Amino acid sequence: VAETFEAVVMNEQLDVLVMMYAPFCGHSRRLEPLYLQVAERFAKFEHLLIARIDAYNNDRPSRVPGAELNGFPTIRLWPSKSKQAPVDFEGERDPEVIAEFIFSHSSKPMTRDEL
């Protein structure tokens, strides 16, 4: 899993948004359906990959910037043009707020009209 995580997150062709969760965490369980809504809405954007990983039961390589965690769930974006400087999502756990975060940090322009 660690090698796949690194290969996906560090792909310089993609903006990669990852929800790192723990299966036992109530906050993670509540966020998951909302996060999946966001993933469905943005599925048509080829430059954006929205993923999730059980970060409690799976390793993440320490050589990947931003792979470390301070708690669950954590949502982090690795922009295609800035893999060494991932961006943490720190907003309200709401699909619209997460969508705004994606719009704000995407490496390619996107508009709400495209959703």
Side-chain angles (χ1 to χ4, degrees):
V1 172
E3 290 176 12
T4 301
F5 178 84
E6 181 176 12
V8 169
V9 167
M10 299 307 285
N11 181 334
E12 294 182 353
Q13 303 302 310
L14 298 172
D15 290 341
V16 181
L17 183 73
V18 179
M19 177 179 128
M20 294 174 273
Y21 69 94
F24 60 82
C25 172
H27 296 293
S28 294
R29 287 195 304 267
R30 284 189 292 281
L31 177 60
E32 184 172 15
L34 305 175
Y35 188 77
L36 293 175
Q37 287 176 22
V38 173
E40 287 177 21
R41 289 177 62 192
F42 283 87
K44 69 180 185 178
F45 294 98
E46 294 181 4
H47 76 281
L48 176 65
L49 175 66
I50 298 180
R52 59 196 166 115
I53 183 173
D54 175 347
Y56 181 77
N57 291 307
N58 292 291
D59 292 331
R60 295 154 331 275
S62 59
R63 63 185 169 273
V64 174
E68 71 285 339
L69 297 176
N70 292 324
F72 298 109
T74 296
I75 298 176
R76 195 165 283 148
L77 176 73
W78 281 265
S80 65
K81 296 177 174 31
S82 184
K83 294 296 181 177
Q84 299 301 315
V87 183
D88 283 344
F89 172 76
E90 296 177 346
E92 183 181 343
R93 293 174 182 157
D94 174 83
E96 292 303 316
V97 177
I98 297 169
E100 282 302 319
F101 174 78
I102 293 169
F103 286 129
S104 298
H105 297 285
S106 175
S107 64
K108 295 186 180 179
M110 295 188 297
T111 65
R112 287 193 164 279
D113 297 336
E114 295 175 276
L115 288 180

